[in-house]
Amino acid sequence: MSSTHRNEVSREQVLAYRVAAHGFDRSSPAPGVLVMGVQDTPTGSARQALAAGGASLDALELVWSFRGAPHLHRRADLPALAAALWPVDDADATARINTAVIKEGARLGVEAFRVTAEAFREVVTAPMAKGEVSTAVSASVPESLTYWCVPCGAQHISGLLFQQAGIFGGIGIRSEGGKTVLAPLRERFPVPVAASGTTELVRAYLRFLGPATPVEVAKYLGTKPTVVKRVWPDSLAEVRLEGKKAWLPASDLDALLSAKSQGLVRLLPPGDPFLQARDRGLVVPDRSREKEIWRAIGGPGALLAGSEIAGTWRAKAAGRKLDVTVTPFTPLPSAVRRKMDAEAAAVASARGASEARLHIAQ
């Protein structure tokens, strides 16, 4: 792995560096972190994440991208993103979809993605309900990529493959009346022939969520570290973080070494890019608090104070108003409490509420 520098860095430096890299100072309507998209889980949280960073909501498209999860991306970035997400080889493709329900089908490797992407293009020519698309696509792909779903009483394509292949099929997604609707993208691009730009995707992770290791990047991409090592970028700086080697772009090393907390306060939704780092124990050292923030289902938002996750928050609509309840991990300084009203108002605005009512749980 390429290395041009070796330096000891602290946890505090890393977190302060990431806060700056993510643009939480709201100095730009188009922060660079948008190259990674913003996860929309739960539905609507991506727009709240963009509001937390002061980013523009223009020219964005919701698609299934990283790990098949819904993300908002810049529409202009989608062709290059699809090429970068295309499996590097058969081993990579198999690693991404290797589940118990399609063990045999997963061995098809890249071919599994190609036939599913082509099925999407044949089936989805106008807006359709997700279930309707799934039924039609399931009937169009090799049987080894499907399994018998007992609750539905039907043969289904693997959900993991179905959602990861959506972007390659030129499919956008949206929510209508609580249901997921799939539709062709405004400008459909061809199914990728080979992966292209994957190294730059890895570099983007290292820039915004680094310094990091191949293991952490692999978890983010949903593949194996051996795959990531094959597309590992050049011109990286090696640092030691809590006694372990980690890397980030050499051009960002000075920013890391000089990083200091900016004293910002932000209410981050569950899918915020800042919370997508795979070194969760570094971001939130307390194991019980880590489990609270990254719940598998129904996770809360996170209170960012300076460079630290200082608590959780949840919001509940009350007519046209929004009740925002913050539960701090420890008593909050008065300076943090003073800034929270404005952040609660930003959340309310992103959700279309007329007013926010902030509550701080004791």
Side-chain angles (χ1 to χ4, degrees), residues 160-174:
L160 193 58
L161 172 59
F162 182 72
Q163 294 195 190
Q164 288 190 75
I167 188 171
F168 309 131
I171 300 300
I173 60 178
R174 62 176 183 259

Side-chain angles (χ1 to χ4, degrees), residues 144-215:
S144 63
L145 297 176
T146 68
Y147 69 100
W148 182 255
C149 177
V150 175
C152 296
Q155 196 76 10
H156 280 321
I157 185 171
S158 159
L160 193 58
L161 172 59
F162 182 72
Q163 294 195 190
Q164 288 190 75
I167 188 171
F168 309 131
I171 300 300
I173 60 178
R174 62 176 183 259
S175 180
E176 291 184 3
K179 296 182 179 181
T180 300
V181 173
L182 310 185
L185 293 172
R186 296 184 186 182
E187 297 182 10
R188 269 184 162 175
F189 39 83
V191 175
V193 176
S196 173
T198 312
T199 294
E200 291 310 306
L201 211 54
V202 173
R203 189 186 302 276
Y205 183 97
L206 296 176
R207 178 186 175 195
F208 294 105
L209 294 172
T213 67
V215 171

Side-chain angles (χ1 to χ4, degrees), residues 123-124 126-135 162 179-183:
V123 168
V124 184
M128 297 172 61
K130 177 185 175 183
E132 184 182 357
V133 176
S134 175
T135 298
F162 182 72
K179 296 182 179 181
T180 300
V181 173
L182 310 185

Side-chain angles (χ1 to χ4, degrees), residues 2-4 203 233-237 248-251:
S2 175
S3 173
T4 56
R203 189 186 302 276
D234 293 324
S235 302
L236 299 180
L248 81 164
S251 57

